[in-house]
Amino acid sequence: MIRGILFHVIPLILPFVVYAVYLYFNKRAGGDKTWRGKSIAVSTVTGLFLMALSLVILGSVSGDSRDGTVYIPPKFEDGKLIDSQVIPAKDKN
């Protein structure tokens, strides 16, 4: 659940948060900038780009191993706990 939030939602809303903070400090300094269509569009495109980038990074660092090793998690068999195993690629065949 946390991974889903970190890699999907946060990169998407981060540009909006950054721009909102910018508008807040601009308003405190006497500026008159507000949310406009162009700023929302740029924030949306930037957020989508960051989300896609995070998905590419997540896909490249997780999943099956590239060297062919296989992980077998621990399991119960006939009432006994069998430890986990890592089978190297050469022993797999």
Side-chain angles (χ1 to χ4, degrees), residues 60-71 86-93:
S60 67
V61 299
S62 66
D64 293 339
S65 67
R66 306 258 190 258
D67 60 357
T69 59
V70 176
Y71 171 73
V86 176
I87 301 173
K90 60 184 175 186
D91 291 344
K92 210 168 71 169
N93 295 331

Side-chain angles (χ1 to χ4, degrees), residues 21-89:
V21 168
Y22 167 74
L23 288 178
Y24 172 75
F25 284 112
N26 186 12
K27 183 87 55 184
R28 282 187 63 189
D32 60 349
K33 292 192 176 199
T34 61
W35 288 96
R36 299 194 200 275
K38 184 177 179 181
S39 61
I40 292 174
V42 169
S43 295
T44 302
V45 170
T46 304
L48 290 173
F49 173 76
L50 290 174
M51 187 174 67
L53 182 66
S54 71
L55 291 173
V56 168
I57 292 171
L58 178 65
S60 67
V61 299
S62 66
D64 293 339
S65 67
R66 306 258 190 258
D67 60 357
T69 59
V70 176
Y71 171 73
I72 300 174
K75 60 184 174 184
F76 277 106
E77 196 170 283
D78 296 327
K80 294 182 181 179
L81 179 64
I82 298 180
D83 288 335
S84 62
Q85 301 173 11
V86 176
I87 301 173

